[in-house]
Amino acid sequence: MKKILITTDGSEHAQKGVIYGRRIAEVFCSEVTVLNVINDFKSTHHHESVYIYDQSKEIFQAQAKSIMEKVEEDFKGFCGSLSTMIKLGDPAQVIIETIEEDKPDLVIIGSKGLTGIKKVVVGSVSNKVLNHTDVPVLVVR
Amino acid sequence: MRKVLVTTDGSKYAEKGLEHGRKIAEKFCSEVIVLNVIDDFSNAYLDDSVYLFQLSKDVLEKNAKIILQEVEHVFEGFCGSITTLVKNGDPAKVIIETIEEEEPDLVVMGSKGLTGIKKVAIGSVSNKVLNHTKVPVLIIR
């Protein structure tokens, strides 16, 4: 468990994933990367969404920054190493790409994140990731 | 990470689940419960399946014993405690019920088990469990 990737979208479930992730990473003094993906809505078929993204780009980026500040706080005094990443794109796709690049030993995903209003119980992002990777995935609710 | 539930069906994915389960449980000297569910096919709408179950019950039970021997092998010298459970029924349902009874802090499941011939990438059992529990679930592929 040398390398652990934790994904967060700032939602309550993702926050639980971060805390739970630390508990596991702590005992292995792992190299932890926390990834936040800003959705650019390009994979949704609503042109309005892209428009919304363009309109509120700065707000999203500021939000991502504050999410990461919170993560750094949660990892205060952590025995391993912590790096944070903010990327832009379709969340599931970016997470899958990051897994391929970084080759973590464990991926931790908070399920039912920000689009959790839908009747899907496991978040669509975690579901996609689960279906596209061979790396162990820990789903935290 | 006081209590860890590891589910196994004897497939190679489940075996990997055992190994990963130990890796984490070792660090916490957890109380590990290994659950093997023998599918009684009572949830499948095929009368033949029930018949098949009756026919192959002995074989399945023998199989379960082999799995449990494997468990003891993987967990040899383990610092925590280990309990093995063999239950009959619909795998997803029995796993969910066991989670409710035992209240583990972590569930470890090997995905794409014995019914993995199907084109579903995440096993149907792990998928059902993910959708019915609030406990963190680690999916091993």
Side-chain angles (χ1 to χ4, degrees), chain B residues 19-136:
Chain B
E19 283 160 9
H20 274 271
R22 175 171 180 165
K23 248 160 97 185
I24 293 176
E26 188 86 55
K27 295 285 184 182
F28 297 94
C29 286
S30 314
E31 182 186 339
V32 174
I33 300 167
V34 178
L35 171 66
N36 176 238
V37 186
I38 300 173
D39 197 339
D40 63 3
F41 296 104
S42 60
N43 264 22
Y45 296 101
L46 301 166
D47 291 327
D48 309 8
S49 307
V50 180
Y51 175 67
L52 273 177
F53 169 67
Q54 292 299 344
L55 263 182
S56 52
K57 209 173 163 211
D58 289 347
V59 179
L60 286 168
E61 272 168 7
K62 214 180 265 172
N63 219 352
K65 260 187 204 143
I66 295 170
I67 290 167
L68 297 184
Q69 275 166 9
E70 206 180 285
V71 170
E72 269 157 32
H73 174 70
V74 172
F75 279 87
E76 215 186 310
F78 174 59
C79 65
S81 73
I82 176 123
T83 317
T84 48
L85 295 175
V86 180
K87 295 188 182 179
N88 271 346
D90 172 60
K93 206 172 156 211
V94 174
I95 292 169
I96 291 162
E97 282 165 6
T98 309
I99 292 172
E100 280 164 7
E101 281 160 24
E102 301 285 351
E103 291 168 345
D105 307 291
L106 173 68
V107 180
V108 182
M109 296 184 75
S111 180
K112 211 162 74 171
L114 292 177
T115 51
I117 326 128
K118 293 180 199 163
K119 264 213 173 152
V120 274
I122 317 192
S124 58
V125 175
S126 33
N127 206 21
K128 273 185 211 154
V129 173
L130 270 174
N131 277 308
H132 282 91
T133 180
K134 286 213 165 126
V135 177

Side-chain angles (χ1 to χ4, degrees), chain A residues 12-137:
Chain A
E12 186 197 332
H13 292 274
Q15 175 64 14
K16 269 195 188 162
V18 169
I19 307 248
Y20 198 90
R22 175 175 177 162
R23 261 167 82 193
I24 292 180
E26 191 86 54
V27 293
F28 295 99
C29 287
S30 311
E31 194 181 305
V32 174
T33 304
V34 179
L35 171 66
N36 175 238
V37 185
I38 301 175
N39 197 341
D40 63 4
F41 295 105
K42 278 192 182 140
S43 67
T44 58
H45 298 286
H46 302 287
H47 292 302
E48 291 97 319
S49 308
V50 179
Y51 177 68
I52 288 171
Y53 168 69
D54 279 334
Q55 290 292 301
S56 40
K57 215 188 238 165
E58 274 148 38
I59 299 171
F60 284 148
Q61 260 144 14
Q63 210 178 39
K65 253 184 96 186
S66 81
I67 290 168
M68 288 315 191
E69 275 162 18
K70 179 89 182 49
V71 168
E72 271 158 29
E73 219 169 88
D74 287 335
F75 271 81
K76 231 176 214 165
F78 173 58
C79 65
S81 72
L82 172 74
S83 54
T84 55
M85 257 181 202
I86 298 172
K87 290 188 181 178
L88 188 68
D90 172 63
Q93 205 189 319
V94 173
I95 292 169
I96 292 162
E97 281 164 9
T98 310
I99 293 172
E100 280 164 6
E101 282 159 23
D102 278 9
K103 300 192 169 68
D105 305 295
L106 175 68
V107 180
I108 300 176
I109 301 180
S111 181
K112 212 163 70 170
L114 293 177
T115 52
I117 326 125
K118 292 182 200 163
K119 261 211 176 151
V120 274
V121 187
V122 188
S124 58
V125 173
S126 35
N127 209 18
K128 274 185 210 154
V129 174
L130 273 170
N131 277 309
H132 283 91
T133 180
D134 281 337
V135 175
V137 177

